[in-house]
Amino acid sequence: MDTNAPFIPAMVTMSGVQKSGETQTITSFFYPPQSSRGTPECTLELYTLPSDAAHEIMPTRPLVTSRGKNENLEVAKGWLEECQAHHTFCRRNEDAQPDLPTRLIEIAEDGTARLVEKSGQVGQYVALSYCWGQHPEENRSTTIHNVQARLQEGGLPRDDLPAAIRDAVTVTEKLGIKYIWVDAFCIIQDDLSDKHGELSKMSQYYRNSYLTIAASTPRCTVGFIGTIGRCEKHPKNQLPRDLVPLDVFCISQDKDEGRSGKVYVREENPYQLSMEPLNRRAWTLQENLLSPRVLFFGSRVMWFCRHMTHSDGGIEDWSFEENELERTRREFQIELSKLDKGSFDNESRSADRDRDIYDLWQRIVGTYSQRAMTHPEDKLPAISAVAAEFSKLSKDEYLAGLWRSNLARDLLWTTPDPVTHRPKTWRAPTWSWASVDDTILYDRPPPKDAIQLATIEEVSATPKTTTVPFGEVETGNLMITAPCFFQNLADDENRDKASRPWLGGFGFKGGSNEREMLLESLKKHARMEHKKGDKEEEFRLPDEITVAVLYGQRDELHRVEDSQEEAKEWKIWGLVLKRATGTTEGEEPGSKRLK
């Protein structure tokens, strides 16, 4: 057979009629295995309703379309009750009631709300994580002018609250909890003393919360309670609009009998938690990571705690995330719980445990770097609360986003493309990932048995203020002793070939089949994108580069070219550097990182 001959794909169509009378269709094209289009594949999602005979053998329910409504909240209550009753790991830190925040919104039995001052008291409360939006005034924040009025009975009429906050108050009330903490209302926004004091406590406010409601809407004026994913022409049909119903016959495994049933089918629709509006903002990451329980209202309703992750319907597959946000959140919470109980000490530490915890930090950085922020100078402050907790876990020194004990590995960050984007104003030394606005990757780390060849002679990162040691920095310095080799590309006749070893790892990696191509496409879609200018040219390495080798590993034996001898090959990990042409304010003289 001529494998280069063109193949005509086979077209497969499935159609079904929902109760509303609407016809839904799935059409897929299959290429034969011999074609150049890769491995043929069609992945379908199958659902059944709890009342259907097919549900016994296929218990996955369709996604809920009544977000935040009574039926959905009953499911959420079930998650909360299960967590309280059976998750020992989640309850281990609730022996004593936590301290309450300075101010809270109190939900009265008559349906009114007001601000209350609770400093020095203990109890349960809900925290809210949400997007303010591009217009801060829409939050109707608490100010010096209105704080006294809001402390009065009925001082916060619900109809005056922005939609996302109003919905969060409603959910809190239906869950039977009296207090909710919302930053825009519980911090006096134009009182610098109050604002700085409360911001320094925010990590504890989220860590001590009984539950955090995460409202994944693009701005505070958009609510999250309502229907989602239904057919606009048939709004009474509670099923998602893209499902194709198929009649099936279910045969019992134990008896010689069966019943008719119905399976609802749709093409695979990979869910990326990182693409939710709330998870596109930098500041909200630490709110999610620090909260022991999260009830998430986005394109699906989800539950997160230290023990489990659940979705109200839908396929519970979180494998489409580049940095595994769901697993990263849970592992970080588990580490924090050890810290709370004092079970983390020097005796329990090991080299493998230390490496695992630094791998966790690198995943956090990867997730964080994909998120947007309004003010470039917030790059380090917006993750400072997580860094503060991580410093307690690692007992390590923080250096502008990196850690002293793991510095040689932390320096090996890269970006999806060789062109990097930096803010106009200096905010971090060039050896720190915080110096660029691009997605950060730690995707090809040295293995555990790699040998560190570099020595960190000197390193420092000076905070702008000692009161915020994990926030902005004003200077940075790094001195390394390492094996180096130099390459001059200016006179190389084949510059492209000489550059290939340093640029070959960049760009889109399509994979060998449709599945791998899908996963790579989803990763690329979730990364930070920068608009290319009209005059932006193709990236070229500088005429002179220096490669500083940080790690090396002997590879398997291979035959030396034009010889009968065998030799071991070295794999190396290091930094590609260019000579500094000058210094930037806050930066010490020395080599600048290229990537």
Side-chain angles (χ1 to χ4, degrees), residues 434-464:
S435 65
V436 300
D437 291 327
D438 305 271
T439 293
I440 300 301
L441 304 177
Y442 282 101
D443 58 347
R444 292 185 292 270
K448 293 181 179 180
D449 59 349
I451 302 170
Q452 182 174 329
L453 302 175
T455 302
I456 310 297
E457 303 288 358
E458 187 179 310
V459 62
S460 65
T462 307
K464 276 193 173 181

Side-chain angles (χ1 to χ4, degrees), residues 69-84 170-177 210-211 295 303 308:
K69 298 293 185 68
N70 289 338
E71 184 178 351
N72 176 226
L73 287 183
E74 286 302 314
V75 174
K77 287 180 182 178
W79 291 332
L80 181 57
E81 290 169 0
E82 179 183 356
C83 185
Q84 290 175 304
T170 298
V171 171
T172 301
E173 182 180 37
K174 290 186 176 181
L175 291 177
I177 302 173
Y210 182 66
L211 171 73
L295 180 56
W303 170 270
M308 69 178 187

Side-chain angles (χ1 to χ4, degrees), residues 89 306 329-339:
F89 208 73
R306 291 168 180 163
R329 197 210 77 86
R330 186 154 28 90
E331 289 182 5
F332 188 63
Q333 274 295 315
I334 290 172
E335 293 295 334
L336 290 180
S337 70
K338 297 175 185 177
L339 191 65

Side-chain angles (χ1 to χ4, degrees), residues 150-419:
R150 292 184 170 187
L151 288 167
Q152 304 304 311
E153 188 171 342
L156 285 174
R158 291 204 195 182
D159 291 342
D160 291 346
L161 298 176
I165 299 173
R166 183 171 62 247
D167 286 353
V169 169
T170 298
V171 171
T172 301
E173 182 180 37
K174 290 186 176 181
L175 291 177
I177 302 173
K178 189 175 182 179
Y179 300 109
I180 181 170
W181 186 85
V182 182
D183 55 2
F185 282 75
C186 299
I187 300 174
I188 304 175
Q189 297 295 322
D190 59 350
D191 184 332
L192 291 181
S193 176
D194 186 78
K195 191 172 184 178
H196 289 162
E198 291 299 290
L199 288 177
S200 67
K201 303 174 186 175
M202 277 185 66
S203 64
Q204 293 305 310
Y205 288 169
Y206 282 100
R207 284 199 63 191
N208 291 338
S209 68
Y210 182 66
L211 171 73
T212 292
I213 293 174
S216 187
T217 61
R219 55 190 181 278
C220 65
T221 55
V222 178
F224 58 84
I225 294 179
T227 59
I228 182 172
R230 293 187 185 181
C231 175
E232 295 179 0
K233 295 181 180 179
H234 308 90
K236 292 184 179 180
N237 181 15
Q238 297 186 10
L239 291 174
R241 58 177 173 264
D242 58 351
L243 294 183
V244 176
L246 299 177
D247 293 323
V248 297
F249 190 76
C250 306
I251 300 175
S252 174
Q253 294 181 349
D254 303 324
K255 301 178 181 179
D256 189 16
E257 60 182 36
R259 291 184 294 166
S260 61
K262 196 177 290 291
V263 174
Y264 295 88
V265 183
R266 75 172 182 180
E267 287 185 280
E268 184 182 31
N269 186 8
Y271 177 70
Q272 285 184 283
L273 185 62
S274 60
M275 293 305 294
E276 291 280 1
L278 186 69
N279 294 333
R280 301 305 292 170
R281 303 300 302 173
W283 280 97
T284 61
L285 176 62
Q286 57 187 15
E287 298 168 3
N288 180 282
L289 291 176
L290 294 169
S291 300
R293 298 186 181 104
V294 177
L295 180 56
F296 185 90
F297 292 92
S299 59
R300 56 171 69 189
V301 179
M302 299 181 64
W303 170 270
F304 302 91
C305 67
R306 291 168 180 163
H307 185 81
M308 69 178 187
T309 299
H310 277 321
S311 169
D312 192 359
I315 303 295
E316 296 188 355
D317 181 359
W318 324 120
S319 64
F320 301 101
E321 301 288 343
E322 184 168 27
N323 293 289
E324 301 177 279
L325 176 57
E326 182 271 338
R327 181 168 72 93
T328 298
R329 197 210 77 86
R330 186 154 28 90
E331 289 182 5
F332 188 63
Q333 274 295 315
I334 290 172
E335 293 295 334
L336 290 180
S337 70
K338 297 175 185 177
L339 191 65
D340 291 336
K341 280 296 182 181
S343 60
F344 175 74
D345 53 46
N346 288 330
E347 294 181 0
S348 66
R349 295 182 65 168
S350 66
D352 286 342
R353 192 266 177 196
D354 283 348
R355 188 174 293 113
D356 289 342
I357 199 173
Y358 289 117
D359 289 346
L360 175 61
W361 172 258
Q362 291 177 356
R363 271 189 275 137
I364 291 173
V365 168
T367 298
Y368 175 70
S369 66
Q370 295 178 349
R371 300 180 174 219
M373 60 184 63
T374 304
H375 305 290
E377 63 271 19
D378 287 345
K379 191 73 169 184
L380 289 170
I383 200 174
S384 60
V386 175
E389 298 301 321
F390 197 90
S391 71
K392 299 174 187 175
L393 292 170
S394 63
K395 302 184 186 301
D396 204 350
E397 182 183 355
Y398 190 59
L399 298 162
L402 288 68
W403 299 94
R404 179 181 287 274
S405 298
N406 199 55
L407 189 59
R409 287 179 177 268
D410 280 353
L411 285 169
L412 295 174
W413 57 269
T414 186
T415 55
D417 297 298
V419 178

